[in-house]
Amino acid sequence: MTRDIENIQTAWQASEALRSGRISARDLTRACLERIAALEPSLSAFLALTEEIAMEAAARFDANPAAFPDPLAGVPAAVKDNMCLKGVPCTCASRILEGWEPPYNATAVQRILDRGGVICGKTNLDEFAMGSSTENSAFKVTRNPWNTSTVPGGSSGGSAAAVAAGQVFYALGSDTGGSIRQPASFCGIVGVKPTYGRVSRYGLVAYASSLDQIGPLTRDVRDAALVLNIICGHDPLDSTSYPGESPDFTQALVRDVQGMTVGLPREFFAQGVREDVAQAVQEGARVLEKAGAKIREISMPNVGYALPVYYIIAPAEASSNLARYDGVRYGHRSGAASDHVDMFMRSRAEGFGAEVKQRIMIGTYALSAGYYDAYYLKAQQVRTLLRRDFDRAFQECDVLLTPTSPTPAFAVGERADDPFQMKLADVCTIPVNLAGIPALSLPCGLVDGLPVGMQIMARPFDEETMLRAAYTFEQATEFHRLRPAI
Amino acid sequence: MAVDIAESGFEAVIGMEVHAELLTRSKMFCSCSAEFGGEPNTRCCPVCLGLPGSLPVANRQAVEFVVRAAMALNCEINRETFFHRKNYFYPDLPKGYQISQYGDTPIGVRGWIEIETEDGTVKRIGIRRVHLEEDTGKLLHSSPSESEVDYNRSGVPLMEIVTEHDPRPGFDQINTAYEAREYIMQLRQILLYLGVCDGKMEEGSLRCEPNVSVRPAGSREYGTRTELKNLNSFRSVYRGLEYEIRRQIETIRSGGVVVHETRRWDEENEVTAPMRGKELEQEYRYFPEPDLLPFRFEEAQLEQLRRELPELPLQRRRRFEEMGLSRADAATLTSEKAIADWFEEAARDYGDPKPIANWVLSELLRLLNQAGEGIQSCKVRPAQLASLVRLIDDGTISGKIAKGVFEEMFRTGRDPGQIVEASGQTQISDEEAILSVVRKVIAGNERVAADVRGGKEKSIGFLVGQVMKETGGRANPRLVNELLRRELGAG
């Protein structure tokens, strides 16, 4: 029985085992909870366990599997701790939200629960999803299961580590500038940032509203398609959510890229991308070429501005989104305040960590009357230029192929004192968020014994082509079968 | 302060910022009830409390209401309109920002409203912008050291209407407290006609914050202005501005300087007092709201809304005047849309507006007033008044009796015909019957009858009175007069 469970690698395999009656959802969930408990001391991937919620959902599934036709029903999962799960503390890895329990579920979370999903816990992140290593959590530093002296990436590092280490079969993350794809790359798993608007943001604690998007972290491409099938779709509670129908993403799991044009934008292979990482991705391109795709090198001249543009727009929106944490209604309130203004200031000074404060200050500055035109407005204009780069690229290419991150996972503490180096970890993923297009990271090699991620981008709302390219690559290679030895 | 503003050589310039809470059923960005009142914090959800993860969804009806109001205020409608965030910290502001409309794309721009000045001339007051935003919560100061917040108002749709501070050619400014009051009265009436706001100043659903400065009459420069708060009636708008204008003139005359500040109107002592300094311009860090998409209006949609606009109070008053009503009567009848509607329906049924207007203005409004009720709860239907007046015309009852009948109609809502029949109060128009009473009265009042015969015309009134008394007021007064004169050989 235990061996049975250990042989299950992916969520879809778990689903098959559940449907065939070889295991029960309760046994599977218990096994996951045990593995979480066993590995937590070395990984620190979770901020809260939700055993009760998980075991109840598992029992409901076991009582009547036919009532839950979704393939992921009964399969243990986790969600990043910046999404609301009713009655469970939602911390965003910040002291300022201490004690706050949301009275509602995020739409994406609700959709998982409605389909019989089993949520085992809430995963660690960089405070308010700001960071690239999950070292900026107010509570703990998550470790990379491939090598616990390295970071799992960020900000969805907890979700990535939990999936890579086999603590759960899939997890939800959020991606504002690469926060799903970059940790997926560091942890050797699949991470998808869907098109902006594909997944409702309702109940996702906002970092930068115009960039945030929820997406899956999974062991392979099939699992990613299965999770997308659950979480995508219009939500009347989010007016930016796409009103059209969502396709069945599993239909895109076809091993065929015949006639597909794959673009290699040269600028993404510069910007400090390590030679061996670039090489792994280029070899990935050859795999697709062998499968029938046309490879074309292209240029996107404005990509170099993406990082500075992102570090104006994201902090600007964040400074506004985080204004609600003032100690008035919930969360941390300073005990030492003399009046209400003093209370705001002290509560925020005590509650937010350094990275968050820095971004709030940058954003406040960028939006202030005297600087708005020079920074925020200019950044929005450049964002438009960058979008046009993508429009042009997608006139010639069906997908674009780039490294997900310039390097494999770096050591814990290595970049803690060098904010610029830290931010470079997202240099290849950020343009995607600014353009609102979908992108996916999947493992394409090992460097220094650590996974390397390859990023596939596609046209807005064309996740299917992206998934098809990824699936074809995955089926032709063995990288997705590599597991950390933890 | 005894400054006579008109004689002072100074003139005031007044800008009006009016906030009107919209009569939508739900709030601006969620489905909570927007109704006034309620136990504190019972009309709240994650969205209007700004809980983490919550997102706004714009209320279509609120947007339409503002489009209607902007159209009625002669504004141009922006085809594409955006929401912005206005960022500031305050305990009653749950998100740390207010969703509002900033910049040059509010729903309505460049409108105007007509008001009448004290001397009866018409001024066209330029309106700069009409936009939509959300209301904030309310602080309740339970003790000197503790405050509580009620978020029931948080997220209620609020329309802001701002006058032009430097009007375009052909448009005017507000220069006196009288005009300011006229402006807010006119505006309130229009909003009531449109059904977009209940206009209750005392409940805060219509709030007005004028700013005022003074300058030597004829000057083109503007003086330093102050802003007035806490004006919750027409009277306080008038009195507050009068006071503030006088205060500013006094200050300047005595060599002082007007300070740019916000001042509170102290209703009890009838003075304005400084609230907080305004030297520091607030930094709101406006930027486009990323959680909401821009609103685009289709031409057909705007056309539809324009067609649905009701006739507005000023147009209607003028039309009533054209019907032959006096200006004062037309003004009273159009003061409230429901009254004007009631009157028009009765007048149409009856066929002649004049007598109906008289009944509405005297009897109906008096009885409503006495009962402290609005026309909405009136039991008398317009057609019933028309048939009452017809009963007078065809001689079934006298005008005097009709008043009593109307009072009963007002109490019970019954038809006038029924009431008259049941009470046996029909008028006696039978000549024979009246003649016999006339003869009896003449016989009983020989001396008066002799006076009349002798040419003392006036005394006939006494005899008429006697006949009416004998018949319980039911005799047709025209016949009584006629028969008396014939019998006495007079006139």
Side-chain angles (χ1 to χ4, degrees), chain B residues 314-344:
Chain B
L314 199 65
Q315 290 165 268
R316 200 167 199 182
R317 198 192 80 197
R318 287 180 182 151
R319 190 163 57 77
F320 283 7
E321 285 176 42
E322 281 162 21
M323 285 178 179
L325 303 184
S326 76
R327 181 190 198 117
D329 288 355
T332 311
L333 287 172
T334 52
S335 66
E336 234 181 276
K337 181 169 183 292
I339 293 174
D341 287 345
W342 200 100
F343 156 76
E344 276 217 89

PDB file of all heavy atoms in Angstrom, chain B residues 314-344:
ATOM      1  N   LEU B 314     -37.836  73.046 -14.591  1.00  0.00           N
ATOM      2  CA  LEU B 314     -37.923  74.386 -15.174  1.00  0.00           C
ATOM      3  C   LEU B 314     -38.774  74.384 -16.433  1.00  0.00           C
ATOM      4  O   LEU B 314     -39.635  75.246 -16.631  1.00  0.00           O
ATOM      5  CB  LEU B 314     -36.504  74.887 -15.480  1.00  0.00           C
ATOM      6  CG  LEU B 314     -36.375  76.382 -15.662  1.00  0.00           C
ATOM      7  CD1 LEU B 314     -36.687  77.113 -14.363  1.00  0.00           C
ATOM      8  CD2 LEU B 314     -34.974  76.741 -16.149  1.00  0.00           C
ATOM      9  N   GLN B 315     -38.550  73.385 -17.291  1.00  0.00           N
ATOM     10  CA  GLN B 315     -39.359  73.254 -18.513  1.00  0.00           C
ATOM     11  C   GLN B 315     -40.829  73.124 -18.140  1.00  0.00           C
ATOM     12  O   GLN B 315     -41.706  73.700 -18.766  1.00  0.00           O
ATOM     13  CB  GLN B 315     -38.999  71.970 -19.269  1.00  0.00           C
ATOM     14  CG  GLN B 315     -37.656  71.925 -19.919  1.00  0.00           C
ATOM     15  CD  GLN B 315     -37.348  70.467 -20.289  1.00  0.00           C
ATOM     16  OE1 GLN B 315     -36.739  69.757 -19.492  1.00  0.00           O
ATOM     17  NE2 GLN B 315     -37.775  70.031 -21.466  1.00  0.00           N
ATOM     18  N   ARG B 316     -41.058  72.304 -17.139  1.00  0.00           N
ATOM     19  CA  ARG B 316     -42.430  72.006 -16.760  1.00  0.00           C
ATOM     20  C   ARG B 316     -43.122  73.235 -16.201  1.00  0.00           C
ATOM     21  O   ARG B 316     -44.281  73.501 -16.496  1.00  0.00           O
ATOM     22  CB  ARG B 316     -42.427  70.892 -15.719  1.00  0.00           C
ATOM     23  CG  ARG B 316     -43.755  70.196 -15.635  1.00  0.00           C
ATOM     24  CD  ARG B 316     -43.654  68.934 -14.851  1.00  0.00           C
ATOM     25  NE  ARG B 316     -44.785  68.070 -15.150  1.00  0.00           N
ATOM     26  CZ  ARG B 316     -44.986  66.903 -14.574  1.00  0.00           C
ATOM     27  NH1 ARG B 316     -44.126  66.450 -13.689  1.00  0.00           N
ATOM     28  NH2 ARG B 316     -46.032  66.173 -14.881  1.00  0.00           N
ATOM     29  N   ARG B 317     -42.379  74.006 -15.409  1.00  0.00           N
ATOM     30  CA  ARG B 317     -42.957  75.215 -14.842  1.00  0.00           C
ATOM     31  C   ARG B 317     -43.373  76.164 -15.973  1.00  0.00           C
ATOM     32  O   ARG B 317     -44.450  76.740 -15.965  1.00  0.00           O
ATOM     33  CB  ARG B 317     -41.926  75.894 -13.936  1.00  0.00           C
ATOM     34  CG  ARG B 317     -42.547  76.879 -12.978  1.00  0.00           C
ATOM     35  CD  ARG B 317     -41.494  77.717 -12.322  1.00  0.00           C
ATOM     36  NE  ARG B 317     -41.061  78.784 -13.201  1.00  0.00           N
ATOM     37  CZ  ARG B 317     -39.940  79.469 -13.019  1.00  0.00           C
ATOM     38  NH1 ARG B 317     -39.126  79.174 -12.030  1.00  0.00           N
ATOM     39  NH2 ARG B 317     -39.626  80.437 -13.849  1.00  0.00           N
ATOM     40  N   ARG B 318     -42.482  76.265 -16.953  1.00  0.00           N
ATOM     41  CA  ARG B 318     -42.795  77.168 -18.078  1.00  0.00           C
ATOM     42  C   ARG B 318     -44.015  76.681 -18.842  1.00  0.00           C
ATOM     43  O   ARG B 318     -44.847  77.474 -19.270  1.00  0.00           O
ATOM     44  CB  ARG B 318     -41.587  77.280 -19.004  1.00  0.00           C
ATOM     45  CG  ARG B 318     -40.507  78.114 -18.353  1.00  0.00           C
ATOM     46  CD  ARG B 318     -39.285  78.262 -19.227  1.00  0.00           C
ATOM     47  NE  ARG B 318     -38.282  79.029 -18.511  1.00  0.00           N
ATOM     48  CZ  ARG B 318     -36.978  78.914 -18.686  1.00  0.00           C
ATOM     49  NH1 ARG B 318     -36.511  78.065 -19.583  1.00  0.00           N
ATOM     50  NH2 ARG B 318     -36.135  79.656 -18.004  1.00  0.00           N
ATOM     51  N   ARG B 319     -44.123  75.368 -18.982  1.00  0.00           N
ATOM     52  CA  ARG B 319     -45.282  74.829 -19.694  1.00  0.00           C
ATOM     53  C   ARG B 319     -46.557  75.111 -18.902  1.00  0.00           C
ATOM     54  O   ARG B 319     -47.605  75.453 -19.471  1.00  0.00           O
ATOM     55  CB  ARG B 319     -45.102  73.328 -19.921  1.00  0.00           C
ATOM     56  CG  ARG B 319     -46.108  72.704 -20.855  1.00  0.00           C
ATOM     57  CD  ARG B 319     -45.655  71.347 -21.355  1.00  0.00           C
ATOM     58  NE  ARG B 319     -45.374  70.401 -20.287  1.00  0.00           N
ATOM     59  CZ  ARG B 319     -46.311  69.750 -19.595  1.00  0.00           C
ATOM     60  NH1 ARG B 319     -47.581  69.935 -19.866  1.00  0.00           N
ATOM     61  NH2 ARG B 319     -45.974  68.920 -18.645  1.00  0.00           N
ATOM     62  N   PHE B 320     -46.485  74.974 -17.576  1.00  0.00           N
ATOM     63  CA  PHE B 320     -47.660  75.258 -16.740  1.00  0.00           C
ATOM     64  C   PHE B 320     -48.059  76.719 -16.858  1.00  0.00           C
ATOM     65  O   PHE B 320     -49.236  77.059 -16.864  1.00  0.00           O
ATOM     66  CB  PHE B 320     -47.378  74.894 -15.270  1.00  0.00           C
ATOM     67  CG  PHE B 320     -47.441  73.400 -14.984  1.00  0.00           C
ATOM     68  CD1 PHE B 320     -47.581  72.477 -16.009  1.00  0.00           C
ATOM     69  CD2 PHE B 320     -47.375  72.936 -13.673  1.00  0.00           C
ATOM     70  CE1 PHE B 320     -47.642  71.118 -15.754  1.00  0.00           C
ATOM     71  CE2 PHE B 320     -47.427  71.568 -13.400  1.00  0.00           C
ATOM     72  CZ  PHE B 320     -47.562  70.663 -14.446  1.00  0.00           C
ATOM     73  N   GLU B 321     -47.039  77.598 -16.938  1.00  0.00           N
ATOM     74  CA  GLU B 321     -47.354  79.022 -17.108  1.00  0.00           C
ATOM     75  C   GLU B 321     -48.083  79.243 -18.429  1.00  0.00           C
ATOM     76  O   GLU B 321     -49.012  80.046 -18.506  1.00  0.00           O
ATOM     77  CB  GLU B 321     -46.073  79.862 -17.067  1.00  0.00           C
ATOM     78  CG  GLU B 321     -45.513  80.028 -15.654  1.00  0.00           C
ATOM     79  CD  GLU B 321     -44.183  80.777 -15.653  1.00  0.00           C
ATOM     80  OE1 GLU B 321     -44.056  81.755 -16.393  1.00  0.00           O
ATOM     81  OE2 GLU B 321     -43.280  80.346 -14.894  1.00  0.00           O
ATOM     82  N   GLU B 322     -47.644  78.498 -19.455  1.00  0.00           N
ATOM     83  CA  GLU B 322     -48.310  78.630 -20.759  1.00  0.00           C
ATOM     84  C   GLU B 322     -49.757  78.139 -20.707  1.00  0.00           C
ATOM     85  O   GLU B 322     -50.602  78.559 -21.488  1.00  0.00           O
ATOM     86  CB  GLU B 322     -47.551  77.854 -21.839  1.00  0.00           C
ATOM     87  CG  GLU B 322     -46.334  78.605 -22.330  1.00  0.00           C
ATOM     88  CD  GLU B 322     -45.348  77.702 -23.051  1.00  0.00           C
ATOM     89  OE1 GLU B 322     -45.759  76.617 -23.509  1.00  0.00           O
ATOM     90  OE2 GLU B 322     -44.165  78.101 -23.143  1.00  0.00           O
ATOM     91  N   MET B 323     -50.056  77.250 -19.760  1.00  0.00           N
ATOM     92  CA  MET B 323     -51.433  76.771 -19.590  1.00  0.00           C
ATOM     93  C   MET B 323     -52.310  77.848 -18.990  1.00  0.00           C
ATOM     94  O   MET B 323     -53.512  77.673 -18.853  1.00  0.00           O
ATOM     95  CB  MET B 323     -51.463  75.592 -18.607  1.00  0.00           C
ATOM     96  CG  MET B 323     -50.972  74.275 -19.128  1.00  0.00           C
ATOM     97  SD  MET B 323     -51.076  73.121 -17.727  1.00  0.00           S
ATOM     98  CE  MET B 323     -50.511  71.634 -18.500  1.00  0.00           C
ATOM     99  N   GLY B 324     -51.688  78.956 -18.531  1.00  0.00           N
ATOM    100  CA  GLY B 324     -52.454  80.050 -17.956  1.00  0.00           C
ATOM    101  C   GLY B 324     -52.345  80.139 -16.444  1.00  0.00           C
ATOM    102  O   GLY B 324     -53.066  80.901 -15.801  1.00  0.00           O
ATOM    103  N   LEU B 325     -51.465  79.361 -15.877  1.00  0.00           N
ATOM    104  CA  LEU B 325     -51.293  79.454 -14.429  1.00  0.00           C
ATOM    105  C   LEU B 325     -50.311  80.574 -14.103  1.00  0.00           C
ATOM    106  O   LEU B 325     -49.445  80.897 -14.910  1.00  0.00           O
ATOM    107  CB  LEU B 325     -50.745  78.132 -13.873  1.00  0.00           C
ATOM    108  CG  LEU B 325     -51.559  76.872 -14.158  1.00  0.00           C
ATOM    109  CD1 LEU B 325     -50.937  75.677 -13.449  1.00  0.00           C
ATOM    110  CD2 LEU B 325     -53.000  77.051 -13.696  1.00  0.00           C
ATOM    111  N   SER B 326     -50.488  81.152 -12.927  1.00  0.00           N
ATOM    112  CA  SER B 326     -49.555  82.208 -12.532  1.00  0.00           C
ATOM    113  C   SER B 326     -48.201  81.575 -12.286  1.00  0.00           C
ATOM    114  O   SER B 326     -48.090  80.377 -12.038  1.00  0.00           O
ATOM    115  CB  SER B 326     -50.035  82.888 -11.257  1.00  0.00           C
ATOM    116  OG  SER B 326     -49.778  82.053 -10.152  1.00  0.00           O
ATOM    117  N   ARG B 327     -47.161  82.405 -12.327  1.00  0.00           N
ATOM    118  CA  ARG B 327     -45.814  81.911 -12.133  1.00  0.00           C
ATOM    119  C   ARG B 327     -45.653  81.255 -10.764  1.00  0.00           C
ATOM    120  O   ARG B 327     -45.041  80.189 -10.636  1.00  0.00           O
ATOM    121  CB  ARG B 327     -44.881  83.108 -12.250  1.00  0.00           C
ATOM    122  CG  ARG B 327     -43.487  82.728 -12.092  1.00  0.00           C
ATOM    123  CD  ARG B 327     -42.657  83.974 -11.965  1.00  0.00           C
ATOM    124  NE  ARG B 327     -41.320  83.560 -12.236  1.00  0.00           N
ATOM    125  CZ  ARG B 327     -40.617  83.997 -13.254  1.00  0.00           C
ATOM    126  NH1 ARG B 327     -41.123  84.877 -14.080  1.00  0.00           N
ATOM    127  NH2 ARG B 327     -39.403  83.572 -13.420  1.00  0.00           N
ATOM    128  N   ALA B 328     -46.236  81.889  -9.729  1.00  0.00           N
ATOM    129  CA  ALA B 328     -46.117  81.349  -8.375  1.00  0.00           C
ATOM    130  C   ALA B 328     -46.811  79.995  -8.282  1.00  0.00           C
ATOM    131  O   ALA B 328     -46.275  79.045  -7.699  1.00  0.00           O
ATOM    132  CB  ALA B 328     -46.718  82.322  -7.367  1.00  0.00           C
ATOM    133  N   ASP B 329     -48.017  79.915  -8.883  1.00  0.00           N
ATOM    134  CA  ASP B 329     -48.755  78.648  -8.833  1.00  0.00           C
ATOM    135  C   ASP B 329     -47.997  77.557  -9.581  1.00  0.00           C
ATOM    136  O   ASP B 329     -47.875  76.424  -9.100  1.00  0.00           O
ATOM    137  CB  ASP B 329     -50.150  78.812  -9.455  1.00  0.00           C
ATOM    138  CG  ASP B 329     -51.069  79.636  -8.558  1.00  0.00           C
ATOM    139  OD1 ASP B 329     -50.626  79.974  -7.428  1.00  0.00           O
ATOM    140  OD2 ASP B 329     -52.205  79.942  -8.971  1.00  0.00           O
ATOM    141  N   ALA B 330     -47.467  77.919 -10.755  1.00  0.00           N
ATOM    142  CA  ALA B 330     -46.733  76.938 -11.551  1.00  0.00           C
ATOM    143  C   ALA B 330     -45.512  76.459 -10.775  1.00  0.00           C
ATOM    144  O   ALA B 330     -45.174  75.272 -10.783  1.00  0.00           O
ATOM    145  CB  ALA B 330     -46.318  77.548 -12.883  1.00  0.00           C
ATOM    146  N   ALA B 331     -44.850  77.379 -10.075  1.00  0.00           N
ATOM    147  CA  ALA B 331     -43.659  77.014  -9.313  1.00  0.00           C
ATOM    148  C   ALA B 331     -44.009  76.036  -8.194  1.00  0.00           C
ATOM    149  O   ALA B 331     -43.323  75.038  -7.977  1.00  0.00           O
ATOM    150  CB  ALA B 331     -42.989  78.257  -8.744  1.00  0.00           C
ATOM    151  N   THR B 332     -45.103  76.336  -7.480  1.00  0.00           N
ATOM    152  CA  THR B 332     -45.496  75.439  -6.388  1.00  0.00           C
ATOM    153  C   THR B 332     -45.863  74.063  -6.927  1.00  0.00           C
ATOM    154  O   THR B 332     -45.456  73.046  -6.377  1.00  0.00           O
ATOM    155  CB  THR B 332     -46.708  76.019  -5.627  1.00  0.00           C
ATOM    156  OG1 THR B 332     -46.425  77.379  -5.313  1.00  0.00           O
ATOM    157  CG2 THR B 332     -46.986  75.245  -4.362  1.00  0.00           C
ATOM    158  N   LEU B 333     -46.627  74.056  -8.013  1.00  0.00           N
ATOM    159  CA  LEU B 333     -47.076  72.772  -8.554  1.00  0.00           C
ATOM    160  C   LEU B 333     -45.923  71.930  -9.091  1.00  0.00           C
ATOM    161  O   LEU B 333     -45.980  70.706  -9.093  1.00  0.00           O
ATOM    162  CB  LEU B 333     -48.101  72.989  -9.677  1.00  0.00           C
ATOM    163  CG  LEU B 333     -49.478  73.450  -9.206  1.00  0.00           C
ATOM    164  CD1 LEU B 333     -50.356  73.825 -10.393  1.00  0.00           C
ATOM    165  CD2 LEU B 333     -50.156  72.369  -8.371  1.00  0.00           C
ATOM    166  N   THR B 334     -44.831  72.584  -9.531  1.00  0.00           N
ATOM    167  CA  THR B 334     -43.719  71.804 -10.086  1.00  0.00           C
ATOM    168  C   THR B 334     -42.619  71.559  -9.062  1.00  0.00           C
ATOM    169  O   THR B 334     -41.597  70.954  -9.375  1.00  0.00           O
ATOM    170  CB  THR B 334     -43.095  72.519 -11.298  1.00  0.00           C
ATOM    171  OG1 THR B 334     -42.790  73.861 -10.926  1.00  0.00           O
ATOM    172  CG2 THR B 334     -44.027  72.510 -12.483  1.00  0.00           C
ATOM    173  N   SER B 335     -42.847  72.029  -7.837  1.00  0.00           N
ATOM    174  CA  SER B 335     -41.784  71.882  -6.836  1.00  0.00           C
ATOM    175  C   SER B 335     -41.452  70.412  -6.612  1.00  0.00           C
ATOM    176  O   SER B 335     -40.342  70.060  -6.285  1.00  0.00           O
ATOM    177  CB  SER B 335     -42.198  72.534  -5.529  1.00  0.00           C
ATOM    178  OG  SER B 335     -43.300  71.814  -4.993  1.00  0.00           O
ATOM    179  N   GLU B 336     -42.452  69.568  -6.771  1.00  0.00           N
ATOM    180  CA  GLU B 336     -42.226  68.143  -6.603  1.00  0.00           C
ATOM    181  C   GLU B 336     -42.829  67.442  -7.802  1.00  0.00           C
ATOM    182  O   GLU B 336     -43.963  67.732  -8.177  1.00  0.00           O
ATOM    183  CB  GLU B 336     -42.946  67.676  -5.344  1.00  0.00           C
ATOM    184  CG  GLU B 336     -42.086  66.951  -4.354  1.00  0.00           C
ATOM    185  CD  GLU B 336     -42.894  66.504  -3.164  1.00  0.00           C
ATOM    186  OE1 GLU B 336     -43.097  67.307  -2.234  1.00  0.00           O
ATOM    187  OE2 GLU B 336     -43.381  65.361  -3.199  1.00  0.00           O
ATOM    188  N   LYS B 337     -42.086  66.513  -8.352  1.00  0.00           N
ATOM    189  CA  LYS B 337     -42.554  65.842  -9.560  1.00  0.00           C
ATOM    190  C   LYS B 337     -43.894  65.147  -9.329  1.00  0.00           C
ATOM    191  O   LYS B 337     -44.804  65.214 -10.150  1.00  0.00           O
ATOM    192  CB  LYS B 337     -41.518  64.826 -10.023  1.00  0.00           C
ATOM    193  CG  LYS B 337     -41.903  64.098 -11.297  1.00  0.00           C
ATOM    194  CD  LYS B 337     -40.744  63.323 -11.854  1.00  0.00           C
ATOM    195  CE  LYS B 337     -41.100  62.657 -13.171  1.00  0.00           C
ATOM    196  NZ  LYS B 337     -42.091  61.580 -13.037  1.00  0.00           N
ATOM    197  N   ALA B 338     -44.022  64.506  -8.167  1.00  0.00           N
ATOM    198  CA  ALA B 338     -45.247  63.742  -7.899  1.00  0.00           C
ATOM    199  C   ALA B 338     -46.467  64.661  -7.840  1.00  0.00           C
ATOM    200  O   ALA B 338     -47.556  64.292  -8.294  1.00  0.00           O
ATOM    201  CB  ALA B 338     -45.098  62.965  -6.604  1.00  0.00           C
ATOM    202  N   ILE B 339     -46.277  65.865  -7.292  1.00  0.00           N
ATOM    203  CA  ILE B 339     -47.404  66.806  -7.233  1.00  0.00           C
ATOM    204  C   ILE B 339     -47.772  67.263  -8.644  1.00  0.00           C
ATOM    205  O   ILE B 339     -48.948  67.299  -9.027  1.00  0.00           O
ATOM    206  CB  ILE B 339     -47.051  68.029  -6.342  1.00  0.00           C
ATOM    207  CG1 ILE B 339     -46.915  67.566  -4.889  1.00  0.00           C
ATOM    208  CG2 ILE B 339     -48.090  69.139  -6.487  1.00  0.00           C
ATOM    209  CD1 ILE B 339     -46.436  68.640  -3.941  1.00  0.00           C
ATOM    210  N   ALA B 340     -46.728  67.592  -9.412  1.00  0.00           N
ATOM    211  CA  ALA B 340     -46.971  68.035 -10.790  1.00  0.00           C
ATOM    212  C   ALA B 340     -47.667  66.940 -11.594  1.00  0.00           C
ATOM    213  O   ALA B 340     -48.592  67.204 -12.364  1.00  0.00           O
ATOM    214  CB  ALA B 340     -45.651  68.432 -11.445  1.00  0.00           C
ATOM    215  N   ASP B 341     -47.210  65.692 -11.389  1.00  0.00           N
ATOM    216  CA  ASP B 341     -47.835  64.565 -12.098  1.00  0.00           C
ATOM    217  C   ASP B 341     -49.299  64.428 -11.706  1.00  0.00           C
ATOM    218  O   ASP B 341     -50.188  64.262 -12.546  1.00  0.00           O
ATOM    219  CB  ASP B 341     -47.119  63.244 -11.749  1.00  0.00           C
ATOM    220  CG  ASP B 341     -45.761  63.137 -12.414  1.00  0.00           C
ATOM    221  OD1 ASP B 341     -45.492  63.925 -13.352  1.00  0.00           O
ATOM    222  OD2 ASP B 341     -44.959  62.283 -11.979  1.00  0.00           O
ATOM    223  N   TRP B 342     -49.570  64.551 -10.423  1.00  0.00           N
ATOM    224  CA  TRP B 342     -50.937  64.407  -9.894  1.00  0.00           C
ATOM    225  C   TRP B 342     -51.834  65.490 -10.496  1.00  0.00           C
ATOM    226  O   TRP B 342     -52.917  65.220 -11.012  1.00  0.00           O
ATOM    227  CB  TRP B 342     -50.880  64.528  -8.365  1.00  0.00           C
ATOM    228  CG  TRP B 342     -52.053  63.945  -7.636  1.00  0.00           C
ATOM    229  CD1 TRP B 342     -52.115  62.737  -7.017  1.00  0.00           C
ATOM    230  CD2 TRP B 342     -53.338  64.571  -7.429  1.00  0.00           C
ATOM    231  NE1 TRP B 342     -53.340  62.550  -6.449  1.00  0.00           N
ATOM    232  CE2 TRP B 342     -54.121  63.655  -6.685  1.00  0.00           C
ATOM    233  CE3 TRP B 342     -53.907  65.783  -7.804  1.00  0.00           C
ATOM    234  CZ2 TRP B 342     -55.435  63.925  -6.291  1.00  0.00           C
ATOM    235  CZ3 TRP B 342     -55.217  66.056  -7.427  1.00  0.00           C
ATOM    236  CH2 TRP B 342     -55.966  65.120  -6.683  1.00  0.00           C
ATOM    237  N   PHE B 343     -51.316  66.702 -10.439  1.00  0.00           N
ATOM    238  CA  PHE B 343     -52.071  67.832 -10.975  1.00  0.00           C
ATOM    239  C   PHE B 343     -52.377  67.640 -12.461  1.00  0.00           C
ATOM    240  O   PHE B 343     -53.515  67.816 -12.915  1.00  0.00           O
ATOM    241  CB  PHE B 343     -51.295  69.138 -10.754  1.00  0.00           C
ATOM    242  CG  PHE B 343     -51.672  70.227 -11.716  1.00  0.00           C
ATOM    243  CD1 PHE B 343     -52.881  70.921 -11.549  1.00  0.00           C
ATOM    244  CD2 PHE B 343     -50.863  70.554 -12.799  1.00  0.00           C
ATOM    245  CE1 PHE B 343     -53.260  71.920 -12.444  1.00  0.00           C
ATOM    246  CE2 PHE B 343     -51.238  71.539 -13.696  1.00  0.00           C
ATOM    247  CZ  PHE B 343     -52.440  72.223 -13.520  1.00  0.00           C
ATOM    248  N   GLU B 344     -51.344  67.253 -13.206  1.00  0.00           N
ATOM    249  CA  GLU B 344     -51.542  67.125 -14.651  1.00  0.00           C
ATOM    250  C   GLU B 344     -52.561  66.068 -15.016  1.00  0.00           C
ATOM    251  O   GLU B 344     -53.354  66.235 -15.934  1.00  0.00           O
ATOM    252  CB  GLU B 344     -50.210  66.811 -15.338  1.00  0.00           C
ATOM    253  CG  GLU B 344     -49.407  68.051 -15.609  1.00  0.00           C
ATOM    254  CD  GLU B 344     -48.663  67.981 -16.927  1.00  0.00           C
ATOM    255  OE1 GLU B 344     -49.213  68.379 -17.968  1.00  0.00           O
ATOM    256  OE2 GLU B 344     -47.519  67.515 -16.888  1.00  0.00           O
TER     257      GLU B 344
END
